[in-house]
C-alpha cells in the first residue's frame, strides 16, 4: 500500500544505507579543509579533545581529516555526523556529550550563535569561482557604473568576493562587499562597530548609507538545481523589494534575474500568513536545540498564539517529515522554530498535509502591530522578533483598538472574530478553578480539547481484564503484516 504519507512496505525492508559523497584525494585534503588553519586553531586553544562536525556529503573524508589532525596536533578528535536537526547549525550538544573543548564545523553553515559558549571554527570551503566570467556577467547585468551594488555569495565562494571587487572597482565605485558573520570571542573580535550584521553577513556600510539603497549580485548556486538554496531564499525574502537582485553561477558565469522568484517567495509568505490567521490550532515544532535564545523564542511564540486566541502544542520530533506531521491531524498549521536556513529549507511541493511556517510569519499573523513602520517586514530569523532586537514589536495591550479591527480572511472570505483576551480574573491555562467541595483543579483548554476526542490512547484497565496465556502475535511491520492480504 502506498499513499501520500507512507511508502511501500518493501522499501523499509530493502533500504540500503546511502554512500557518502566522492572522497577528496589525499593530496588535496590540506587545501580543501584548511587543515593548517584548523591546526593553528587547536594549538592556540591548547585543546585536548576537539569535535569535528561534517554534513552528510562530506562524511567520506571525515576519517582521513580526523587522522591527519590527530597526527599534527596530538589532540583527540571526535567526528559528529548524526545531528538531530540541520547540519548547518553548530552541534554543541553533541560536542558536550563527547567532552570536547572546541568544535570545528565543516561545510555550509547558517552562522547562528550557539546556545552555549564553545570555541568554534568554521571551514566554509573553497568552491572554484571563474572570476573573469563573473566580471562579464556583472557588467552585462549592471550597465550603470554609478549604481550601488552589494556583492553577495554562498559561503563556499565568500573568499573570492574581494578579488572580484578588485577587478570591478576601476569601473564601479559604489560596491559593497559582504563577508560571513563569524561569531568570534569578544576579546579577539576586530570588527568595526559601524559594520551592519544581517543575513548572516557583515556589510561595511559608509556613514549615512543604508542597505536598502543597494542592489544585489549573488555568486553561487548551480544551473541544474531547480530548488532554491535556503541561503539564497533568505536573501530574496529580506532584500529591499524595489532593488534589483541577480545571481551568477560561479562555474559558468550564467546569470539569472531573481526578481521574479523573489516575488513568488513574498507572495507565498503572504499566503502562509493568511493561513496562520485562519488557524485555530497551531503546532510549534522544535527545530533546534543548539541555537541561542531558542527557549525564549518558544515562550514568545506561545504567548503570541495565546494572545491571538489560538491553541498551541509544542512538538519535539527531530527533523520534520510528512509522515511525522501526519500523526497530528488536529493542527491547522505548523511553525518550525529553527535557524534561518533550516526554516527555509526546500520541501517537495505539497509534501506536508498542513503548511509549515516560520516564526516570522506567525508573528505577522498574530501581532496586530506588525509590521513596524520604517523597518523591513521580511525577516527570517526568530531572534529578530525577541526583545533587544530593533525589529521587536511588543504586543498591544488588551484595551488597544488594534485587536478590534475588522479582519476578513482572504482564503475563506469569512469575517474573523477578534481574539478574546484572558484577564487575570478569567480562567486560563495556568489559572486555578475552584471545584466543590473545596477542590482545586487546573483548567487547560488544550487538555479539554484532547478530552473531547473519541480515541484517547491506550488504556491499561488494571484489574479489569482477565488473565490469559501468552499467544503468538502478528509478524511483520505495521503497514503490512504477514497474515494480511495484499491490497
Amino acid at each position: 500500500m502506498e499513499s501520500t504519507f507512507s511508502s511501500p512496505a518493501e522499501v523499509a525492508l530493502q533500504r540500503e544505507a546511502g554512500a557518502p559523497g566522492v572522497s577528496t584525494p589525499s593530496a588535496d585534503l590540506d587545501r580543501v579543509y584548511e587543515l593548517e588553519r584548523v591546526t593553528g586553531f587547536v594549538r592556540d586553544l591548547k585543546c585536548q579533545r576537539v569535535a569535528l562536525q561534517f554534513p552528510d556529503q562530506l562524511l567520506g573524508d571525515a576519517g582521513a581529516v580526523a587522522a591527519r589532525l590527530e597526527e599534527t596536533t596530538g589532540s583527540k578528535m571526535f567526528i559528529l555526523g548524526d545531528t538531530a536537526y540541520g547540519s548547518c547549525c553548530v552541534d554543541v550538544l553533541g560536542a558536550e556529550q563527547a567532552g570536547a573543548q572546541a568544535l570545528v564545523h565543516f561545510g555550509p553553515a547558517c552562522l547562528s550563535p550557539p546556545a552555549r559558549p564553545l570555541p568554534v571554527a568554521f571551514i566554509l570551503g573553497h568552491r572554484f569561482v571563474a572570476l573573469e566570467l563573473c566580471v562579464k556577467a556583472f557588467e552585462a547585468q549592471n550597465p550603470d557604473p554609478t549604481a550601488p551594488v552589494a556583492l553577495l555569495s554562498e559561503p563556499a565562494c565568500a573568499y573570492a568576493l574581494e578579488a572580484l571587487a578588485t577587478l570591478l572597482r576601476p569601473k564601479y565605485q559604489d560596491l559593497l562587499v559582504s563577508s560571513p558573520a563569524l561569531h568570534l570571542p569578544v576579546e579577539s573580535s576586530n570588527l568595526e562597530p559601524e559594520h551592519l550584521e544581517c543575513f548572516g553577513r557583515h556589510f561595511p556600510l559608509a556613514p549615512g548609507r543604508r542597505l536598502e539603497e543597494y542592489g544585489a549580485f549573488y555568486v553561487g548556486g548551480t544551473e541544474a538545481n531547480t530548488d532554491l538554496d535556503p541561503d539564497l531564499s533568505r536573501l530574496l525574502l529580506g532584500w529591499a523589494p524595489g532593488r534589483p537582485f541577480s545571481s551568477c553561477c560561479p562555474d559558468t558565469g550564467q546569470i539569472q534575474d531573481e526578481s521574479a522568484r523573489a516575488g513568488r517567495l513574498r507572495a507565498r509568505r503572504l499566503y502562509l500568513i493568511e493561513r496562520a490567521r485562519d488557524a485555530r490550532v497551531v503546532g510549534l515544532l522544535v527545530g533546534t536545540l543548539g541555537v541561542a535564545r531558542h527557549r525564549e523564542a518558544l515562550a514568545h511564540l506561545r504567548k503570541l498564539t495565546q494572545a491571538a486566541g489560538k491553541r498551541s502544542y509544542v512538538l519535539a520530533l527531530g527533523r520534520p517529515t510528512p509522515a511525522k506531521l501526519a500523526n497530528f491531524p488536529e493542527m491547522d498549521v505548523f511553525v518550525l522554530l529553527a535557524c534561518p536556513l533550516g526554516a527555509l529549507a526546500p520541501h517537495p511541493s505539497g509534501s506536508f498535509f498542513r503548511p509549515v511556517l516560520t516564526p516570522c510569519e506567525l508573528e505577522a499573523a498574530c501581532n496586530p502591530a506588525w509590521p513596524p513602520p520604517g523597518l523591513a517586514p521580511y525577516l527570517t530569523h526568530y531572534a529578530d522578533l525577541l526583545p533587544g532586537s530593533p525589529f521587536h514589536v511588543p504586543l498591544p495591550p488588551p484595551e488597544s483598538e488594534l485587536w478590534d479591527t475588522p479582519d476578513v480572511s482572504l482564503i475563506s472570505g469569512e469575517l474573523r472574530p477578534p481574539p478574546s483576551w484572558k484577564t487575570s480574573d478569567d480562567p486560563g491555562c495556568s489559572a486555578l478553578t475552584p471545584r466543590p467541595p473545596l477542590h482545586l483543579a487546573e483548567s487547560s483548554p488544550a487538555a479539554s480539547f484532547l478530552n473531547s476526542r473519541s480515541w484517547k490512547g491506550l488504556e491499561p484497565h488494571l484489574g479489569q481484564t482477565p488473565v490469559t496465556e501468552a499467544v503468538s502475535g502478528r509478524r511483520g511491520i505495521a503497514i503490512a503484516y504477514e497474515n494480511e492480504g495484499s491490497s
Side-chain angles (χ1 to χ4, degrees):
M1 183 180 69
E2 183 176 2
S3 68
T4 306
F5 307 118
S6 64
S7 55
E10 295 78 9
V11 175
L13 300 176
Q14 301 173 3
R15 183 183 299 121
E16 297 181 359
V22 179
S23 299
T24 304
S26 178
D28 296 336
L29 284 178
D30 291 352
R31 176 185 58 83
V32 173
Y33 292 98
E34 303 181 44
L35 298 188
E36 183 178 353
R37 183 162 75 91
V38 176
T39 300
F41 169 76
V42 175
R43 287 176 176 173
D44 291 343
L45 295 176
K46 299 179 182 179
C47 299
Q48 300 301 318
R49 302 167 68 88
V50 181
L52 307 178
Q53 182 177 344
F54 292 85
D56 293 343
Q57 65 270 21
L58 298 181
L59 281 177
D61 295 332
V65 171
R68 187 78 61 88
L69 290 175
E70 286 185 347
E71 180 183 352
T72 56
T73 63
S75 302
K76 182 66 175 177
M77 301 292 164
F78 297 87
I79 299 174
L80 305 179
D82 56 348
T83 53
Y85 301 102
S87 59
C88 61
C89 301
V90 175
D91 190 6
V92 292
L93 299 181
E96 287 183 352
Q97 292 175 358
Q101 301 165 309
L103 186 145
V104 182
H105 185 284
F106 296 93
C110 60
L111 302 178
S112 301
R116 293 174 175 82
L118 183 71
V120 180
F122 291 96
I123 307 300
L124 302 177
H126 284 73
R127 181 181 175 183
F128 172 74
V129 178
L131 292 177
E132 295 79 5
L133 297 179
C134 292
V135 169
K136 293 180 180 179
F138 185 94
E139 293 175 346
Q141 189 69 18
N142 300 276
D144 185 5
T146 62
V149 182
L151 295 181
L152 310 167
S153 73
E154 65 179 42
C157 300
Y159 74 96
L161 286 187
E162 279 295 344
L164 178 62
T166 302
L167 297 176
L168 292 172
R169 281 199 174 102
K171 182 178 180 181
Y172 298 89
Q173 301 299 323
D174 199 355
L175 293 179
L176 182 66
V177 184
S178 64
S179 60
L182 303 177
H183 294 274
L184 303 174
V186 177
E187 59 271 11
S188 62
S189 178
N190 57 1
L191 188 67
E192 296 294 333
E194 63 268 15
H195 285 194
L196 172 68
E197 181 177 340
C198 192
F199 309 118
R201 295 165 171 82
H202 288 305
F203 296 91
L205 287 171
R209 300 299 300 272
R210 299 172 55 199
L211 191 60
E212 290 80 2
E213 302 173 9
Y214 288 83
F217 184 80
Y218 180 86
V219 180
T222 58
E223 301 176 13
N225 190 8
T226 57
D227 291 330
L228 269 181
D229 180 76
D231 183 57
L232 181 56
S233 299
R234 170 168 61 168
L235 291 167
L236 291 178
L237 273 174
W239 209 258
R243 305 304 301 170
F245 197 112
S246 57
S247 64
C248 174
C249 178
D251 304 315
T252 64
Q254 182 69 30
I255 198 167
Q256 181 173 354
D257 187 0
E258 301 289 351
S259 301
R261 287 206 282 190
R264 289 194 295 268
L265 283 174
R266 296 189 185 104
R268 175 166 176 76
R269 167 160 281 194
L270 294 177
Y271 166 76
L272 293 177
I273 291 174
E274 285 297 312
R275 290 293 300 265
R277 287 172 177 163
D278 288 343
R280 299 179 61 88
V281 184
V282 180
L284 303 178
L285 302 175
V286 179
T288 181
L289 295 176
V291 180
R293 306 184 72 180
H294 66 276
R295 294 179 181 271
E296 185 180 351
L298 183 59
H300 176 74
L301 296 182
R302 297 184 65 181
K303 181 181 178 181
L304 268 179
T305 54
Q306 182 182 5
K310 307 177 188 297
R311 290 190 299 270
S312 64
Y313 298 88
V314 179
L315 307 174
L317 308 174
R319 295 185 183 182
T321 62
K324 290 179 182 178
L325 301 189
N327 292 313
F328 305 94
E330 298 84 6
M331 307 300 167
D332 296 323
V333 295
F334 294 95
V335 179
L336 179 58
L337 180 64
C339 70
L341 301 190
L344 296 174
H347 301 292
S349 178
S351 59
F352 292 100
F353 83 113
R354 292 286 188 268
V356 180
L357 288 69
T358 65
C360 301
E361 290 155 1
L362 184 67
E363 176 86 22
C366 298
N367 190 347
W370 184 267
L375 295 177
Y378 301 105
L379 304 178
T380 55
H381 194 7
Y382 64 76
D384 294 328
L385 309 176
L386 302 180
S389 168
F391 300 99
H392 171 67
V393 180
L395 284 171
E399 60 273 9
S400 174
E401 297 180 354
L402 294 175
W403 296 105
D404 300 327
T405 303
D407 189 18
V408 177
S409 171
L410 299 181
I411 297 177
S412 63
E414 299 178 356
L415 182 68
R416 298 190 187 101
S420 56
W421 271 80
K422 290 181 172 62
T423 63
S424 58
D425 299 330
D426 297 330
C429 293
S430 58
L432 295 178
T433 305
R435 179 188 298 173
L438 300 180
H439 289 299
L440 291 178
E442 186 175 357
S443 175
S444 170
S448 302
F449 173 74
L450 291 180
N451 231 10
S452 63
R453 297 176 56 175
S454 59
W455 187 81
K456 304 174 184 178
L458 300 178
E459 300 178 5
H461 294 298
L462 297 178
Q464 303 177 21
T465 54
V467 178
T468 59
E469 295 183 358
V471 296
S472 180
R474 291 184 289 184
R475 301 172 62 88
I477 60 177
I479 198 173
Y481 292 106
E482 292 181 357
N483 58 346
E484 292 180 345
S486 60
S487 59

